Amino acid sequence: MPKGYYIGRVSVHDAEAYKAYAAKATAAIAQYGGRVLARGGAFEILEGEARARNVVIEFESVEAARRFYFSPEYTEARRLRMPISVGDFVIVEGV
């Protein structure tokens, strides 16, 4: 079964408030078996528009990534993130 990758690109408008989201999201990622591959590090824009924060999380499958995203735990975290940021999020099936 191919891995599932949760990819997020985020512009944060309130870095202090974002810390509460990050704490809850980190706990949910661990609870649902995610492994953070990239999170907020340096990046290079090659084409198109970028956002300041980029995240790649590996899950055992696309379904596992969906379970994480739609879980009660991450839904609570998302509610904290939404008023203080704008982002693009996808789940991608690995090869």
Side-chain angles (χ1 to χ4, degrees), residues 16-84:
E16 191 59 35
Y18 194 81
K19 291 176 184 178
Y21 158 76
K24 287 192 178 292
T26 298
I29 291 164
Q31 181 177 346
Y32 287 87
R35 184 170 72 109
V36 176
L37 302 179
R39 186 184 230 173
F43 64 95
E44 179 180 357
I45 303 167
L46 300 176
E47 293 185 36
E49 296 181 34
R51 296 198 183 270
R53 188 165 179 79
N54 301 283
V55 179
V56 180
I57 305 168
E58 180 183 72
F59 288 89
E60 67 182 23
S61 65
V62 167
E63 188 51 44
R66 288 180 55 75
R67 279 193 303 273
F68 154 74
Y69 184 81
F70 292 107
S71 70
E73 296 82 5
Y74 190 63
T75 296
E76 182 180 337
R78 278 198 329 267
R79 287 187 184 125
L80 296 174
R81 176 181 46 77
M82 290 177 144
I84 58 167

